[in-house]
Amino acid sequence: MRRHALAALLATATALYKVDIHIAGRAPSPKSWEAAAVDEYAKRLRGTIDLKTTWHKSGDQLEKSIAKMEAVLCLSPEGKRVDSEGFSKLLYDSLDKGGSRLCLCIGPAEGFTDELRGRASLLSLSDLTLPHQLARVVLAEQIYRAAEIRRGSGYHK
């Protein structure tokens, strides 16, 4: 009986951190391969980081929804380039700055407004151009990797 109670408690435990990925674009089917991949990383992060995705019809809608967020990282070709250890540090520094909450943005094709670029930190995932869905999968994996780096597991080898 004690094991069952402990398992139930652990299952309902809230994550220490909350990371919201905001994307300007069309959401994929919930049964798509990219949705399944992101769901897998979100499942692995349970209890550590609560990872959610919100899709917006436009860049304006995205920017309005995150207007009050303290810690915002926007993906941009001109953004800071980091390796996985650097991303882990950037992620957790941003979470600390944002009161355990972070907003990661994948913007519209035309890019973010100067106003958002001025208040957000800019990050580049790659010199390659990636479709929004693939960038989301890469971002989810790197968030998971960052958590594992911080935990000191063997995942990042």
Side-chain angles (χ1 to χ4, degrees), residues 45-155:
L45 285 162
R46 260 189 222 131
T48 306
I49 296 175
D50 181 23
L51 182 63
K52 301 284 187 217
T53 303
T54 304
W55 294 86
H56 303 278
K57 292 181 181 177
S58 68
D60 288 340
Q61 187 185 55
L62 182 154
E63 291 191 29
K64 285 177 186 171
S65 76
I66 65 164
K68 294 182 181 177
M69 292 290 294
E70 182 70 27
V72 178
L73 272 174
C74 293
L75 297 187
S76 170
E78 298 83 29
K80 181 177 183 178
R81 288 169 174 77
V82 294
D83 60 10
S84 293
E85 289 91 356
F87 178 75
S88 181
K89 180 171 178 8
L90 179 64
L91 177 74
Y92 283 100
D93 287 351
S94 298
L95 283 164
D96 290 341
K97 172 186 170 191
S100 298
R101 292 187 60 135
L102 174 62
C103 179
L104 288 161
C105 300
I106 301 173
E110 64 273 8
F112 296 107
T113 63
D114 290 340
E115 180 184 335
L116 180 57
R117 294 170 66 80
R119 79 173 185 93
S121 298
L122 301 180
L123 174 70
S124 175
L125 284 183
S126 170
D127 288 339
L128 301 172
T129 301
L130 302 174
H132 286 60
Q133 291 86 351
L134 185 56
R136 176 178 169 230
V137 172
V138 171
L139 199 51
E141 191 279 336
Q142 286 299 302
I143 293 166
Y144 175 69
R145 184 176 296 274
E148 292 300 297
I149 288 170
R150 184 163 187 165
R151 194 169 72 88
S153 80
Y155 182 80

Side-chain angles (χ1 to χ4, degrees), residues 31-46:
K31 295 181 180 183
S32 68
W33 68 268
E34 61 265 27
V38 172
D39 288 347
E40 176 62 28
Y41 289 115
K43 185 173 77 175
R44 291 180 187 188
L45 285 162
R46 260 189 222 131

